[in-house]
Amino acid sequence: MALQTAQDVPELAGGWPLLGHLRDFGRNPISMLSRGWREHGELVRFRLGPKDCVLFTGPEAHDAYFRAPEEQLDAKAVYQFTVPIFGRGVAYDVAPEIMDEQLGFLYPALRDSAMRRFARLMFEEASLFADGLGDEGEIDLPRAMNELTVRIASRCLLGQEVRDQVDTGFADAYHDLQNGLNTLGFFLPRLPTPAHRSRDRARRRVVDLFSRIMSDRRRSGARPDDFMQTLMEARYRDGRALTDDEISGILLTVLFAGQHTSAVLATWTGLELLGAPSYVARIRDEMREMYRETGAVGLAALKQQVALEYAVRECERLHPPLILLIRKVLQPMEYAGRTVPAGTLAMVSPAVSHRLPEVFADPERFAPERFAPPANEDRQHHYALIGFGGGKHRCMGKHFAYLQLKAIWTVLLDRFDFSGDTEVPAPDYGSWVTGPETPRNVRYRRRTEASVFR
Ligand code: HEM
């Protein structure tokens, strides 16, 4: 009997000499990668300039990808472009086991008792934001959701002191830091371009602000319940305390991982709901039911708002903010009789995988009920829905993000009716986090029906 050997991964047709598939990828990466899946199935190879890439698609392939050890599929090599933003000595600048230890400090700050407080703060921030809108008008939804999620993240993750300075400097510095996350920065993160110089200045401003707040806390003995304080009190296994620079870097890591992604998913949720008035009525019925007794938002009630949860999950499926997760292959990886060689960039794409008709019925349709029993489409496989990643790098903020999105839309749907173009806009693939093309104006008008909140 002939010995079966692993074969090469099939290559997507249409690559050019030198450029490979860069042109198609630049135009619309998801359409190109979906073609790869249609033509070749679970594994397909393509080239981005000199880089050989392999896409893993489908729940079983995701499982292999997310379970591969760090020594085989490495995240650190790929995310080096974040080092000038997050800083030296943290996250992707350190060995994976140190990064684990650093992120591990934050788990206590995400436990249920903290989430109860966060739910209240999220509700307060969303209500303040709604107050600021008055009775009717028009907003650019992506911009509005960005503002609101910066305020929520500052308050819950960074602390009240940063929140107090959001409008007097922090938001601007953060914005300049975000601009440092550009395509050029992915390849040449240290190139002294104006955007990179402004990124480096902004980082120094943010770190100065965080350091001042930490000194004030140490001087006054204040110990608020937030991520910053959790990190100030944490100790590495060898007993060492974190430096102010490490604390700032970890806070920036979490902020970058969690804020823009949340803003974008909040935006997609609003845009999809514009075209689904009967589903909005269902969400409102559920809110009336839920808050009739308590009249106040809280963690328990938010968790039970399943109709709203299904809508958010459907937006995670249709519009995952991170469309590509990437690892560098350090040791050859075998899957389904194929070998992915060392040196390749291995990818999974939530945006491609969430529209597989074998997994999600009628996948192009916005249908939140697909997550309700008996269909439970996302439960067929634990890696059917991967908008928050999987395996050891899975998102640590998923529950925080869901809570936040639900708090925002609970407040906004209670207060306002929204109207605007019901055609869902095309995604803008030009940014790391995939939102809709902007601006996207939406009209709002205060509802005449009494609020469910007292
Ligand atoms: C809608 C909002 C969010 C989305 C869609 C999202 C998505 C993701 C995804 C896909 C990953 C895996 C990346 C990879 O495998 O390369 C990830 C990792 C991560 N997320 Fe989130 N995230 C969101 C919100 C948050 C929030 C609110 C926080 C913090 C409170 C957070 C903190 C993190 C961190 C620290 C990691 C890195 C984990 C690691 O590498 O070990 N995320 N996120």
Side-chain angles (χ1 to χ4, degrees), residues 165-420:
Q165 300 194 41
V166 156
D167 302 321
T168 54
F170 177 71
D172 286 343
Y174 178 58
H175 183 252
D176 288 347
L177 262 176
Q178 278 186 324
N179 283 348
L181 258 191
N182 46 34
T183 314
L184 190 62
F186 181 73
F187 296 103
L188 297 166
R190 300 265 169 207
L191 198 71
T193 61
H196 288 171
R197 273 200 291 268
S198 141
R199 168 198 71 192
D200 297 342
R201 275 195 303 274
R203 185 175 192 280
R204 284 194 291 276
R205 279 190 345 254
V206 170
V207 172
D208 284 349
L209 169 67
F210 289 175
S211 300
R212 262 200 320 276
I213 294 171
M214 287 188 265
S215 319
D216 286 349
R217 286 185 183 187
R218 288 189 190 104
R219 204 168 319 116
S220 69
R223 295 178 58 224
D225 192 2
D226 52 34
F227 275 35
M228 183 184 274
Q229 191 64 27
T230 305
L231 291 171
M232 287 170 67
E233 293 176 16
R235 296 290 176 270
Y236 285 106
R237 271 182 222 111
D238 63 8
R240 183 171 76 78
L242 285 77
T243 62
D244 283 4
D245 206 52
E246 285 171 332
I247 296 177
S248 302
I250 299 171
L251 289 175
L252 282 171
T253 306
V254 174
L255 191 64
F256 267 79
Q259 183 274 323
H260 199 188
T261 42
S262 300
V264 157
L265 197 51
T267 303
W268 284 119
T269 304
L271 294 176
E272 284 287 0
L273 289 176
L274 271 184
S278 59
Y279 201 80
V280 169
R282 193 168 148 193
I283 295 173
R284 285 183 173 142
D285 285 348
E286 183 179 71
M287 280 163 51
R288 264 190 299 276
E289 182 74 18
M290 200 62 65
Y291 296 104
R292 198 174 39 205
E293 302 269 294
T294 60
V297 86
L299 179 66
L302 277 172
K303 274 188 178 170
Q304 286 173 52
Q305 281 178 254
V306 289
L308 179 54
E309 170 124 0
Y310 294 151
V312 175
R313 202 173 302 167
E314 182 65 334
C315 292
E316 173 195 339
R317 185 184 73 80
L318 285 169
H319 311 287
L322 298 181
I323 57 168
L324 269 184
L325 312 181
I326 313 177
R327 306 283 184 265
K328 181 159 186 192
V329 183
L330 298 185
Q331 294 165 11
M333 178 169 172
E334 298 219 350
Y335 177 75
R338 307 277 183 187
T339 304
V340 183
T344 310
L345 291 182
M347 305 182 180
V348 298
S349 169
V352 172
S353 299
H354 287 173
R355 292 183 190 230
L356 302 183
E358 299 89 335
V359 184
F360 297 106
D362 197 0
E364 303 300 320
R365 198 165 69 88
F366 175 76
E369 318 79 35
R370 68 173 77 244
F371 299 115
N376 291 327
E377 286 186 9
D378 55 330
R379 301 239 176 111
Q380 303 164 64
H381 192 289
H382 59 285
Y383 286 135
L385 200 67
I386 51 165
F388 289 84
K392 79 179 289 293
H393 289 288
R394 71 188 172 282
C395 181
M396 65 186 302
K398 178 175 175 175
H399 298 298
F400 182 95
Y402 260 84
L403 200 63
Q404 166 172 221
L405 295 171
K406 289 169 79 177
I408 291 174
W409 282 106
T410 297
V411 169
L412 294 181
L413 291 176
D414 179 61
R415 187 83 61 100
F416 302 111
D417 281 321
F418 291 89
S419 59

Side-chain angles (χ1 to χ4, degrees), residues 78-89:
V78 177
Y79 292 121
Q80 281 306 299
F81 66 95
T82 61
V83 173
I85 293 180
F86 302 164
R88 292 282 185 202

Side-chain angles (χ1 to χ4, degrees), residues 6-9 41-43 54-65 67 72 332-340:
Q7 298 172 359
D8 289 346
V9 176
E42 284 180 297
L43 292 190
V54 168
L55 180 72
F56 287 62
T57 305
E60 294 301 332
H62 302 155
D63 191 70
Y65 183 93
R67 271 194 303 114
Q72 187 169 41
M333 178 169 172
E334 298 219 350
Y335 177 75
R338 307 277 183 187
T339 304
V340 183

